[in-house]
Amino acid sequence: SSLGLGPVGRDPLASAASGGREPPSSPSDAMDSYEDPASKRARLDDGPSEADILRLVAQRESYRQSRQFDKSDAIREELRNMGVELYDKEKEWRCRDGRRGTLFTAGPMECMLADHEIQDRINQREDARRSKDWGRADMLRDDLRAHGVELDDKHSSWATSSGRSGTYSGQPSAAPRAAAQLSSHHIRKLVAERERLRATQDFELADELRRQLATMGVEIFDNDRTWRSADGQRGVIITGGHEVDCLLTDADIHYRVMQREEARSAKDFNHADAIRDDLRRQGVELLDGQRLWVTTDGRQGHYTGGSAAAQTPNLAAYGQPAQTNQQLAAGLAAAFLGSQATQQQQALGGRLPSSPITNNPSAMTLQTASIVALVVGREKARDTHDWASADAIRADLRTHGVDVWDKEKVWRANDGRSGTINR
């Protein structure tokens, strides 16, 4: 039965549940009125919290629904400037700091409506749609979104930010309960089995296994090589179905990825494929389209095309123990950064910047690998707004005859060595 909604869908139950406050009259009002401590802390740090991201996502969705695409595109650009990319097809947002989450378009606030109240509004909306009363249907949809309920007309289902969900018919969603019974270990095994079936070109069984995973609330994203469950678990898809924990260090992975890029640059594709397959056997998947490597334990990193072939150390040690590879990786990284510095020098008009630090010799000289490690550590501190640590590292570098220029993105030592600063 109807709750007798007024022109904006207000009712006394929602008002009482919200502590006597009137519920918001529109999605944009709801977004503007919502505040939480995490969001405030994030603003102080000049970084977007998940609440900030979802608030903008909800505003964008309101503009899309009202066909104000110029405003929705402006919000998407605002998010990009904050380091957040939206993937509408996959219903996911991804931040450049590695965070990602569901593209929930009803905002970050907790829904205060009971399930039966949500269902009553959905029933009213479905009645309006059947009678082609699109104005009332849209009003009810916007009212639900203002209360933190997202509607999925394609699958006839609804969901809230806290994980409650249901179907338009009133039946509870089965997928979240089934997914909750599957551990990450079991999902990984099923995903790996599907990859082994695909490797043997048994696509019929592979597709059937994908359908079974979908009924258990697990989505497969082959292009991104990731899987995600309805209860928030996620993982990496390793081509070939290798079930391993990645034991390689980041330095090992960077070294081997650079080997592969050099082989690809030299058109030695057999060697490049061999390195890629070896990385997969050790729990590392390469996403060439995104220039990204990911591991089964959740680590990831970016890579670029090979450009240091003439300066690379002897690559014959590929496959040696991790400690040896770490040493070689440091040397390779130093050579690569030196090559980048040459490119940076050309971009700066043929000369690198200098300072009193770099113009005076010093007995306290650091190895190139140590400089690179300190520069990378300083950039990580700056990324997390740990300015005290960043300044301390810069002071330490200067005492060893190394200066950095953030605007030019270059470091230089007083003995002539230099390299680029990558953020």
Side-chain angles (χ1 to χ4, degrees):
S1 61
S2 171
L3 291 176
L5 296 177
V8 292
R10 292 184 287 183
D11 68 88
L13 291 177
S15 180
S18 59
R21 298 185 305 272
E22 289 291 341
S25 60
S26 70
S28 60
D29 290 342
M31 298 306 100
D32 292 338
S33 63
Y34 179 81
E35 290 288 343
D36 72 301
S39 178
K40 292 177 181 177
R41 287 195 298 272
R43 281 199 305 276
L44 291 175
D45 292 337
D46 290 328
S49 69
E50 183 168 351
D52 291 328
I53 295 169
L54 292 182
R55 184 181 298 105
L56 287 170
V57 165
Q59 289 178 350
R60 173 177 176 259
E61 184 65 17
S62 294
Y63 288 133
R64 293 178 74 193
Q65 294 287 354
S66 60
R67 305 186 69 81
Q68 299 181 65
F69 298 116
D70 55 338
K71 293 183 178 180
S72 68
D73 290 345
I75 291 180
R76 183 169 197 148
E77 285 304 312
E78 181 180 352
L79 283 163
R80 279 176 175 162
N81 292 334
M82 297 165 63
V84 180
E85 191 64 56
L86 305 182
Y87 296 86
D88 292 315
K89 184 178 180 181
E90 293 84 359
K91 293 187 69 63
E92 187 175 66
W93 59 263
R94 300 173 195 168
C95 191
R96 63 185 170 199
D97 60 12
R99 291 179 296 149
R100 58 172 63 191
T102 302
L103 199 62
F104 189 76
T105 60
M109 81 288 291
E110 172 64 31
C111 177
M112 305 302 293
L113 298 177
D115 286 6
H116 73 273
E117 294 175 296
I118 296 172
Q119 190 62 53
D120 184 80
R121 286 162 165 78
I122 288 175
N123 291 341
Q124 292 182 56
R125 178 172 180 262
E126 288 301 286
D127 288 342
R129 293 174 73 193
R130 279 191 289 271
S131 61
K132 300 188 185 302
D133 186 353
W134 308 118
R136 179 165 174 76
D138 290 346
M139 182 200 72
L140 289 163
R141 178 202 63 207
D142 293 343
D143 176 70
L144 282 164
R145 291 188 64 252
H147 284 87
V149 182
E150 182 178 60
L151 301 182
D152 184 348
D153 289 332
K154 181 178 180 181
H155 298 97
S156 298
S157 63
W158 60 265
T160 71
S161 62
S162 62
R164 287 189 293 150
S165 61
T167 62
Y168 287 6
S169 64
Q171 297 298 317
S173 299
R177 293 203 305 270
Q181 298 173 1
L182 283 180
S183 68
S184 177
H185 173 73
H186 287 117
I187 296 175
R188 285 176 59 182
K189 280 191 167 296
L190 291 172
V191 170
E193 176 60 25
R194 175 176 176 263
E195 285 302 301
R196 287 191 286 269
L197 289 170
R198 295 180 67 187
T200 58
Q201 298 188 0
D202 192 344
F203 299 115
E204 183 175 353
L205 282 179
D207 289 343
E208 177 59 30
L209 188 51
R210 180 173 188 162
R211 284 191 289 270
Q212 291 179 17
L213 283 165
T215 64
M216 293 183 285
V218 180
E219 291 184 273
I220 302 293
F221 302 96
D222 285 321
N223 290 340
D224 291 338
R225 311 304 295 149
T226 59
W227 59 263
R228 184 177 66 212
S229 68
D231 60 357
Q233 300 180 77
R234 61 182 67 242
V236 174
I237 300 172
I238 302 295
T239 303
H242 304 291
E243 297 181 63
V244 294
D245 293 323
C246 182
L247 302 179
L248 297 175
T249 66
D250 287 6
D252 293 329
I253 297 170
H254 278 298
Y255 170 66
R256 299 184 187 200
V257 169
M258 289 187 72
Q259 280 187 299
R260 176 174 177 262
E261 291 305 297
E262 293 298 336
R264 294 176 74 192
S265 295
K267 301 190 183 302
D268 187 354
F269 298 115
N270 289 334
H271 184 47
D273 290 347
I275 296 173
R276 179 201 61 203
D277 294 343
D278 182 68
L279 283 167
R280 285 173 173 168
R281 284 191 291 270
Q282 300 193 60
V284 183
E285 184 70 24
L286 304 182
L287 308 179
D288 288 329
Q290 302 176 43
R291 314 300 290 169
L292 185 74
W293 58 260
V294 293
T295 68
T296 51
D297 59 5
R299 289 175 291 147
Q300 64 181 33
H302 290 277
Y303 58 90
T304 57
S307 61
Q311 305 181 44
T312 54
N314 180 11
L315 302 182
Y318 175 72
Q320 288 188 0
Q323 184 176 3
T324 303
N325 274 337
Q326 289 175 9
Q327 295 168 352
L328 288 171
L332 184 55
F336 182 57
L337 287 176
S339 172
Q340 286 187 321
T342 301
Q343 299 172 10
Q344 186 74 22
Q345 183 175 6
Q346 294 173 350
L348 293 173
R351 61 188 183 87
L352 292 169
S354 62
S355 71
I357 302 295
T358 60
N359 289 336
N360 292 292
S362 171
M364 302 178 67
T365 303
L366 293 173
Q367 294 183 352
T368 301
S370 298
I371 297 173
V372 171
L374 287 170
V375 169
V376 171
R378 178 172 177 265
E379 290 306 299
K380 288 183 178 179
R382 295 179 70 207
D383 285 340
T384 58
H385 305 289
D386 186 356
W387 308 118
S389 295
D391 290 344
I393 294 172
R394 182 173 193 163
D396 186 40
L397 284 165
R398 285 176 170 172
T399 61
H400 290 83
V402 181
D403 210 345
V404 294
W405 287 266
D406 294 322
K407 182 178 180 180
E408 291 80 3
K409 298 188 182 302
V410 65
W411 62 262
R412 186 179 184 186
N414 58 7
D415 59 3
R417 289 174 296 158
S418 61
T420 56
I421 299 173
N422 296 310
R423 295 198 70 177

